[in-house]
Amino acid sequence: MSDEIRKLIDNCLLGKSSAWQELIRRFHRLIIGTCAHYVPREEVTDTSQQVYLKLTENDYHLLRKFKGDSLPAFIIYLSEISKNISMSQTRSIRRYEYREGISLDLSIDILDDRQNQEDVYFAWEEKREFYDLIEGLDEAHKEILILRLKGYKFKEIAEILDVPLGTVLARANRAKEKIKKILTKEIKP
């Protein structure tokens, strides 16, 4: 699998349109989903297009910067790029709304809806602990859980990993059982 993702990226860097189309086909949902977390619904499509433009900008500069060779590493890399572009877009939208005279009530509502630092920290800490648990698994189980956390369906994971759906389901169940065993060992006195 790792050779396949590296080959796909290398073919994109060589300018092969079929490779670029394959990259879009495989990761469009990830990019759209990530953008949807950070920008208003009506801005998701435009923001995802900005992600694609940024990926192709300066002769695929961002793709060239990716030095990993595993699918999970590339998924995380693409997610971070999508997140950063989305957050930048959100700041631009807010600046525009401010210049256009967004109402004080709406501004207060936006501020009230923000998470406080303590909530953000605890959510981050829980996520970090869970990812630490996943890191303890072997590569086959780790890949499936990471892809599930990114929102992929089992059928899509089977296509991405190029394994039968039954294998994906079995590995997912084994991975969940392993994590449950680890957690129950940590909870017992």
Side-chain angles (χ1 to χ4, degrees):
M1 188 65 217
S2 58
D3 291 339
E4 183 182 334
I5 195 66
R6 188 76 251 168
K7 184 178 179 183
L8 179 64
I9 293 168
D10 290 343
N11 284 335
C12 285
L13 297 176
L14 292 173
K16 294 185 179 179
S17 63
S18 61
W20 179 248
Q21 289 170 356
E22 177 65 15
L23 187 129
I24 291 171
R25 186 190 70 74
R26 288 179 67 178
F27 299 106
H28 181 70
R29 184 168 175 221
L30 170 73
I31 291 170
I32 287 283
T34 305
C35 292
H37 283 291
Y38 298 98
V39 296
R41 179 176 291 142
E42 60 274 3
E43 296 292 329
V44 170
T45 303
D46 289 344
T47 305
S48 67
Q49 293 304 312
Q50 288 181 1
V51 171
Y52 292 126
L53 287 172
K54 197 70 167 171
L55 287 172
T56 59
E57 190 175 82
N58 296 328
D59 195 29
Y60 299 97
H61 175 72
L62 287 177
L63 285 181
R64 287 183 195 287
K65 282 179 65 175
F66 178 70
K67 299 300 180 200
D69 60 0
S70 73
L71 179 63
F74 187 65
I75 287 172
I76 292 168
Y77 184 71
L78 266 182
S79 296
E80 287 299 311
I81 290 170
S82 301
K83 178 181 107 175
N84 290 338
I85 291 170
S86 298
M87 291 174 72
S88 177
Q89 179 68 8
T90 299
R91 284 189 296 274
S92 296
I93 292 168
R94 286 189 180 144
R95 278 193 300 269
Y96 173 78
E97 288 174 344
Y98 179 75
R99 283 193 308 270
E100 294 297 312
I102 188 171
S103 73
L104 181 59
D105 291 340
L106 185 55
S107 297
I108 291 171
D109 289 343
I110 290 171
L111 292 174
D112 287 344
D113 288 341
R114 293 185 309 178
Q115 291 181 314
N116 65 36
Q117 288 297 85
E118 188 175 300
D119 292 340
V120 171
Y121 173 76
F122 286 122
W124 175 82
E125 186 67 25
E126 284 178 4
K127 191 180 230 181
R128 187 186 61 76
E129 287 174 5
F130 189 71
Y131 275 99
D132 287 346
L133 286 174
I134 292 174
E135 280 300 316
L137 299 175
D138 57 280
E139 194 67 29
H141 294 103
K142 189 188 317 183
E143 281 181 332
I144 290 172
L145 288 182
I146 289 174
L147 290 170
R148 283 294 288 167
L149 289 171
K150 293 295 180 183
Y152 284 94
K153 296 178 182 168
F154 287 116
K155 185 177 179 183
E156 295 169 324
I157 294 171
E159 291 173 7
I160 290 170
L161 298 178
D162 195 28
V163 295
L165 178 60
T167 303
V168 170
L169 293 172
R171 286 179 185 170
N173 278 335
R174 277 189 235 119
K176 289 177 193 175
E177 290 303 317
K178 286 180 180 183
I179 287 179
K180 283 180 187 176
K181 284 181 183 176
I182 293 169
L183 288 173
T184 54
K185 286 179 184 175
E186 288 180 2
I187 293 172
K188 289 182 181 177

